[in-house]
Amino acid sequence: MNRNLSRIIALSAGAIAIALPLFAGDYPLQVARNVMMYMALAITWDMLLRSGQISFGIAGLFGLGAYAGILGMIRGGMPAWLSIPFAAFVAGFAAFLIGFMILRLRAMYFSIVTLALGEIFRIIIHNLHDFTGGPEGIVIQQGVIFGGSSSKLYWLTLGGLAVAIAASYWFEHSKIHFALTAIRNNETSAKSSGIDIFKWLLVAFVVTSAIQGLLGGIFVQSYGFATPETVFSADFTLLPLAMALLGGVYSTVGPIFGAILLGLVAEWLKLKIPYGHLVVYGIIIILVILFMPNGLLGRIRQTTGKRAGRTA
Amino acid sequence: MMAPKQRTAILAGLAVIGTIALLAWKPTVVIYGLQAAGLYASIAIPMGLILGIVHIVNLAHGEIMMVASYATYFACKALGMDPLLAIIPAALVMAVFGWVLFQLTIKRALKAPELNQLILTFGIAIALSQSINLIFTSQTYKLQLDYVSSSIDIGDLSFGTWSFVFVAVAILFAYGLKYFLTKTTTGKAALAVGQNPRGAAIVGIDVNRMDALVFGLAIAMVGGMGALFLTKSAIFPSVGGPFTMKSFCLIAMAGVGNIPGILGASLLLGISENILRAFRDTRAWADIVFFVLIIVVIMSRSLKGRKS
């Protein structure tokens, strides 16, 4: 694709996204917020995937951030705006500490441990009744950000998405890109070219986790409450994963593309089928892995004759 | 790798000592721990078989059992049958299901990178649990059976006896498979495929057929377990999910390919969970044991791997 053309498309898409609340009603804004939330998570998942590490712990870090934000506000007396960066900080710091332990693990062991850590966060929060509100959750009584105005909340979520896109862009256009790609392709050769594997994995893990925490912080501000079941919901792991896979991994555009497609389909299905609409996600994951491991974007690139990315 | 047998022996020894101490102190912990261990092991062993021979982490394992439970439930309701009679039919039906699943999906991913396999079976897990959710909603179903509530009183001690059936099944699975893999021709061929697929192909074993067969067998075992599980537990779409994780943890603890070791690992998990359940203050934390255990096991393995 022509460089200028894609820049124009990106700019106009951004302009439309910013201007949306001026002409859209509450329901479309709500849908757009959900889609953007999942899109941002899909991008962060993909950023870590670029190093070959597959995380099943998105929901864990998202939920951790969500609780950090809400508890910072209610127990710590923080103003609402501060609770969001605080959520990012807590998730990032937790990832930093955990990273020392788990970033030596590879393949399925890494994935399983991230999933287990997410569950541990959930159980701890579930069980600390007095501090976190336990299974019933916790509600922000007063001081919700922007007084709950739906267009301002939309812009807030858009801001979270912008952070994710910017970080992903930074990952794509700096030397991190080469480090992560080299680690993914062959660790031994990456090491022998002088790449500090652990350091770059830690950077990627901390940055992606912090953004996931940030999104969690935005999520609780938008809804005004958190329960272990909602913020640690498996959806926050599942949907982003399916979106990134469908759109095409190892890029920023792929997850965006997949999130728009799947997000809108999901919102529509949610109205039609209250139970089990997620079955579509399972089937999409299966079909994509079997028939187009490069995602839709990879397919398009292949057919337009451009060099496709390495198979996932 | 260090000999997994040695580690199992140490684990088993510790378990025995701990059990005796516990038996004197809180007998119900041991009894319920043993029963839980039987359930965990009899679900984990088929998954261990798949991982050891087909080399696939089947993240849809618990969901497959859940599907078998649903099928059994509705068959039993329709025919007025006891789920115990449905064990063999359920196993046969699930064997076919497993074979088809293998041919349609798993086979195509065998040569793909591990991450693709992991995501593929993850997708199958979601597709299965959500299809059930779609058809039957998240309502729970339970069969009322008299024999399940049978219990024994010894002194002031009273406990349910039905769940010991899982212990029997676990032992049957572990030693039945051991016999199958070391004494029968087909089993030996399957074991050869597990140890070295290429070498097995060179000596004339049809690797693909073996993989399909072992996958089908394992799914049949877990299908039969699905019927048996129904006697004890209420079923709902997400009932199988936790067992996938637990099974994987137990296999990782025992070491891939060490099927009898899964028994020891299950005992450790079952008893530790029940120690926490025995006290009011710690009851809510019983669920965390498993996740902590899985991390400790995987971490210690990775440390050991780096040293050697």
Side-chain angles (χ1 to χ4, degrees):
Chain A
M1 215 190 286
N2 190 317
R3 204 149 212 195
N4 281 328
L5 185 66
S6 51
R7 203 165 279 171
I8 292 168
I9 292 176
L11 279 177
S12 40
I16 293 172
I18 293 171
L20 194 67
L22 302 180
F23 50 82
D26 274 356
Y27 176 67
L29 280 190
Q30 172 69 30
V31 171
R33 250 161 62 194
N34 281 342
V35 172
M36 290 193 304
M37 189 60 85
Y38 288 124
M39 187 188 288
L41 290 173
I43 293 170
T44 58
W45 179 75
D46 184 74
M47 282 161 69
L48 188 60
L49 188 73
R50 290 172 207 167
S51 70
Q53 310 304 312
I54 187 166
S55 163
F56 286 161
I58 311 172
L61 288 151
F62 180 85
L64 187 69
Y67 264 95
I70 201 166
L71 292 173
M73 235 182 114
I74 292 175
R75 308 277 178 229
M78 274 178 199
W81 63 268
L82 187 64
S83 77
I84 294 170
F86 179 68
F89 171 77
V90 169
F93 188 66
F96 179 75
L97 295 181
I98 296 165
F100 276 98
M101 286 188 341
I102 72 169
L103 286 171
R104 315 251 178 220
L105 301 173
R106 289 296 175 269
M108 64 179 188
Y109 292 105
F110 178 82
S111 309
I112 299 283
V113 167
T114 52
L115 187 60
L117 280 169
E119 289 296 305
I120 290 180
F121 294 151
R122 184 180 63 80
I123 296 171
I124 291 176
I125 285 170
H126 188 276
N127 284 349
L128 293 177
H129 295 271
D130 298 336
F131 187 61
T132 62
E136 292 80 33
I138 190 163
V139 181
I140 302 177
Q141 304 290 357
Q142 51 183 358
V144 171
I145 199 162
F146 305 138
S149 143
S150 72
S151 50
K152 281 180 182 161
L153 285 174
Y154 170 87
W155 282 316
L156 180 67
T157 316
L158 186 65
L161 175 63
V163 170
I165 291 178
S168 173
Y169 189 83
W170 172 53
F171 268 39
E172 264 182 331
H173 294 88
S174 65
K175 65 178 179 178
I176 300 177
H177 172 70
F178 299 107
L180 295 186
T181 309
I183 294 169
R184 180 177 87 227
N185 286 336
N186 188 330
E187 270 191 44
T188 319
S189 73
K191 208 176 213 166
S192 53
S193 349
I195 295 171
D196 186 344
I197 294 177
F198 181 75
K199 184 181 103 184
W200 291 114
L201 287 183
L202 192 65
V203 168
F205 188 57
V206 170
V207 169
T208 56
S209 303
I211 298 172
Q212 285 157 9
L214 178 87
L215 294 165
I218 292 174
F219 181 85
V220 286
Q221 288 304 328
S222 337
Y223 290 91
F225 75 100
T227 68
E229 307 317 315
T230 52
V231 299
F232 288 101
S233 160
D235 288 3
F236 291 119
T237 299
L238 225 59
L239 273 56
L241 212 146
M243 286 165 173
L245 281 171
L246 177 70
V249 292
Y250 311 144
S251 69
T252 313
V253 192
I256 293 181
F257 195 46
I260 294 176
L261 213 63
L262 265 189
L264 295 180
V265 170
E267 287 298 331
W268 181 74
L269 284 173
K270 210 191 274 177
L271 295 177
K272 299 277 161 200
I273 321 168
Y275 287 100
H277 60 273
L278 287 176
V279 70
V280 178
Y281 284 83
I283 292 168
I284 284 170
I285 292 177
I286 298 171
L287 293 180
V288 168
I289 287 288
L290 290 180
F291 299 109
M292 15 176 232
N294 293 322
L296 281 177
L297 207 67
R299 252 298 150 84
I300 293 166
R301 279 195 195 127
Q302 252 165 16
T303 46
T304 54
K306 275 205 171 183
R307 196 181 59 86
R310 200 177 138 270
T311 306
Chain B
M1 262 302 192
M2 198 177 94
K5 274 200 173 142
Q6 205 176 328
R7 191 170 19 235
T8 319
I10 298 170
L11 269 179
L14 284 176
V16 167
I17 297 168
T19 309
I20 294 169
L22 269 174
L23 205 50
W25 173 54
K26 268 204 175 285
T28 50
V29 167
V30 179
I31 290 160
Y32 292 133
L34 189 64
Q35 292 177 344
L39 181 63
Y40 294 155
S42 40
I43 296 170
I45 286 169
M47 188 178 174
L49 180 67
I50 294 176
L51 187 56
I53 289 173
V54 191
H55 301 297
I56 287 269
V57 180
N58 180 18
L59 292 180
H61 192 71
E63 275 75 11
I64 290 174
M65 183 184 80
M66 178 274 298
V67 169
S69 295
Y70 267 84
T72 312
Y73 177 86
F74 286 100
C76 289
K77 274 279 158 184
L79 305 173
M81 191 170 49
D82 190 285
L84 291 181
L85 290 175
I87 292 178
I88 303 290
L92 292 177
V93 170
M94 291 313 283
V96 175
F97 176 80
W99 189 83
V100 171
L101 190 67
F102 181 85
Q103 300 294 345
L104 286 181
T105 60
I106 310 280
K107 194 170 86 176
R108 296 160 186 269
L110 280 176
K111 298 269 185 301
E114 205 173 37
L115 299 186
N116 283 25
Q117 303 170 352
L118 215 56
I119 296 177
L120 174 68
T121 57
F122 192 54
I124 295 173
I126 299 157
L128 291 178
S129 67
Q130 294 298 326
S131 316
I132 295 291
N133 198 355
L134 184 68
I135 303 169
F136 303 109
T137 71
S138 53
Q139 190 194 337
T140 58
Y141 293 94
K142 175 109 174 71
L143 285 180
Q144 292 304 329
L145 300 162
D146 298 333
Y147 55 83
V148 173
S149 50
S150 62
S151 65
I152 284 187
D153 299 285
I154 304 173
D156 349 318
L157 196 64
S158 171
F159 55 90
T161 47
W162 173 247
S163 294
F164 280 117
V165 73
F166 296 118
V167 180
V169 170
I171 293 170
L172 180 77
F173 274 3
Y175 288 94
L177 270 185
K178 204 175 173 190
Y179 177 82
F180 170 69
L181 291 176
T182 51
K183 296 288 189 295
T184 63
T185 319
T186 321
K188 280 181 192 166
L191 196 60
V193 171
Q195 284 166 348
N196 187 342
R198 223 172 175 186
I202 289 169
V203 298
I205 297 170
D206 186 343
V207 173
N208 228 317
R209 216 187 105 239
M210 272 303 148
D211 280 346
L213 187 103
V214 167
F215 195 82
L217 173 69
I219 300 304
M221 288 162 80
V222 85
M225 265 310 290
L228 193 59
F229 182 72
L230 183 64
T231 60
K232 180 73 190 167
S233 171
I235 53 172
F236 44 94
S238 58
V239 73
F243 287 103
T244 306
M245 285 293 295
K246 288 196 167 148
S247 300
F248 179 80
C249 164
L250 295 170
I251 295 162
M253 274 165 84
V256 175
N258 176 11
I259 286 175
I262 294 175
L263 295 178
S266 306
L267 208 57
L268 183 67
L269 176 63
I271 292 192
S272 350
E273 278 187 350
N274 276 286
I275 291 176
L276 288 184
R277 284 226 176 86
F279 301 99
R280 183 172 294 277
D281 293 342
T282 56
R283 190 164 297 159
W285 296 97
D287 291 336
I288 217 171
V289 171
F290 154 71
F291 294 107
V292 173
L293 211 56
I294 192 171
I295 291 176
V296 169
V297 167
I298 290 178
M299 297 308 304
S300 62
R301 293 214 149 213
S302 94
L303 286 179
K304 210 168 276 161
R306 224 181 313 156
K307 263 182 222 152
S308 62

